[in-house]
Amino acid sequence: MIRNLSRAVRRAYRRTVDLSHPARSPLGSAVVNCVGYAAGARQSGHCPAEEALRRVRKENGDSPGSNSFVWIGLHEPTREEFASLAELFGLHPLTVEEAVDAHSRPKVVPYDDTLLAVFKTVGYAEHDQLTATSQVVETGEITVITGKDFVITIRYGRHGSLGPLREALETTPEQLAKGPSSVLHAVADFVVDEYVAVAVAVQDDIDAVETSVFSEHAGRGTAGHGEAGRIYQLKRELLEFKRAMSPLSRPLEALATQPDSLIAPDIRPYFRDVSDHLARAGEMVNGFSSLLDSILQAHLAQMTVAQNEDMRKITAWAAIVAVPTMVCGVYGMNFEHMPGLRWTYGYPVVLGGIAIGCFLLHRGFRRSGWL
């Protein structure tokens, strides 16, 4: 009941694709938004990237130290759609290569006067019942390119929308006033918070599997093989989760500790907090992996015990059936001179002996726990 309620709440608050700003730039349909920020406040109106950048640089020239910048959001751009932006901002060719490649490893790399950060996003795939083929974790990617007066965010996948994040940041202009690095921190914090949320959701599935494995009839019949498939599927999904999360640990530590001209000193302590949250999520996932190993071993042990019990029962009944089989086999031989063949009470005595022998064997097996 509680598990179903938590799933319903997650579905109600699931983030959707960022379509909150329907305006599109002439650069192509991949541009979700292009906004300039001056002193932490959003500049009114929508304009192409060239115009937004011109305004921002004019603002920075007129008021040195204002940290005005332009934030351009993209969703799955092609190489041709991104080429104009790369030329406008003078991006390094390797930065362009990383930006249009949706299968990069999580990293934070400086290129000339820009900083490239790649984050793997994760989302929980809702399902009514976990099966051996259920998808549990969905992955995507967010690439953040920061310069002195611009931020470019590139999102791949259906989840991880940055629309709510942008709106939340705009309610704290004092944070945006610290420059592009504030957006980089906000994206990193958003991604890591999703790690924790997905880990909590996955725990519900693990609890369900654990309850099923240790139920009264676990390990018997085809259900036992189904449980093994569900456990193995969860382990595969957790492995995908770890691949998205683990490589991000060192880059976040570097952002928190190593000086960088593109990271405002006031923002650096915030990355330490994000790194702590990432460590928490990593501990949860590692704990889940160890727990699933234990559940799988317990399940296999249960199946072995159940199979041994079945074999003992089969052996016990085979031993009981062996008594009449042996007696009937002996008296079924075609010999003329056999004891008791001409005795009047021979037949009932043999049947009685067979019944007594089977009864004694059955009683002995029951006492020993074989039946």
Side-chain angles (χ1 to χ4, degrees), residues 2-216:
I2 297 177
R3 189 179 301 116
N4 294 334
L5 180 61
S6 65
R7 286 176 177 169
V9 172
R10 284 199 302 270
R11 288 171 180 169
Y13 289 93
R14 185 191 299 176
R15 293 183 175 91
T16 58
V17 177
D18 182 12
L19 296 177
S20 58
H21 304 94
R24 291 293 184 266
S25 166
L27 292 174
S29 60
V31 178
V32 175
N33 213 329
C34 177
V35 180
Y37 295 90
R42 175 173 179 156
Q43 295 179 339
S44 60
H46 299 278
C47 58
E50 297 90 339
E51 179 63 21
L53 184 62
R54 186 190 64 79
R55 292 181 183 181
V56 164
R57 288 181 174 173
K58 184 178 183 300
E59 177 72 22
N60 288 336
D62 295 340
S63 303
S66 65
N67 283 334
S68 298
F69 64 94
V70 59
W71 182 356
I72 300 176
L74 306 174
H75 181 251
E76 299 184 357
T78 63
R79 187 177 297 273
E80 291 75 18
E81 290 173 328
F82 193 70
S84 299
L85 285 178
E87 182 179 358
L88 175 63
F89 293 102
L91 300 180
H92 193 281
L94 291 177
T95 303
V96 178
E97 187 70 25
E98 294 283 357
V100 297
D101 183 10
H103 303 286
S104 299
R105 191 171 184 267
K107 67 183 78 174
V108 177
V109 184
Y111 290 110
D112 295 337
D113 295 331
T114 61
L115 191 67
L116 172 75
V118 179
F119 303 98
K120 288 291 185 181
T121 60
V122 297
Y124 181 74
E126 296 288 352
H127 46 269
D128 295 329
Q129 185 177 6
L130 179 67
T131 65
T133 58
S134 296
Q135 184 179 11
V136 179
V137 177
E138 299 174 329
T139 59
E141 185 175 308
I142 295 178
T143 300
V144 183
I145 304 172
T146 57
K148 293 181 179 180
D149 52 13
F150 67 89
V151 178
I152 302 174
T153 55
I154 307 166
R155 181 170 60 86
Y156 292 91
R158 296 182 302 167
H159 56 87
S161 173
L162 297 179
L165 174 65
R166 184 192 293 267
E167 295 172 358
L169 272 175
E170 290 175 355
T171 62
T172 57
E174 65 279 1
Q175 191 75 358
L176 279 173
K178 297 175 183 178
S181 57
S182 63
V183 177
L184 177 60
H185 160 261
V187 173
D189 188 52
F190 165 79
V191 171
V192 173
D193 284 347
E194 285 294 295
Y195 291 163
V196 177
V198 172
V200 172
V202 171
Q203 187 173 8
D204 291 339
D205 288 323
I206 296 177
D207 291 343
V209 169
E210 185 178 19
T211 301
S212 179
V213 166
F214 291 101
S215 63
E216 182 178 357

Side-chain angles (χ1 to χ4, degrees), residues 258-282:
Q258 298 178 7
D260 193 300
S261 60
L262 295 174
I263 304 298
D266 295 341
I267 294 295
R268 192 171 296 119
Y270 290 94
F271 282 107
R272 188 174 296 110
D273 180 66
V274 176
S275 181
D276 291 341
H277 289 176
L278 179 65
R280 176 195 169 194

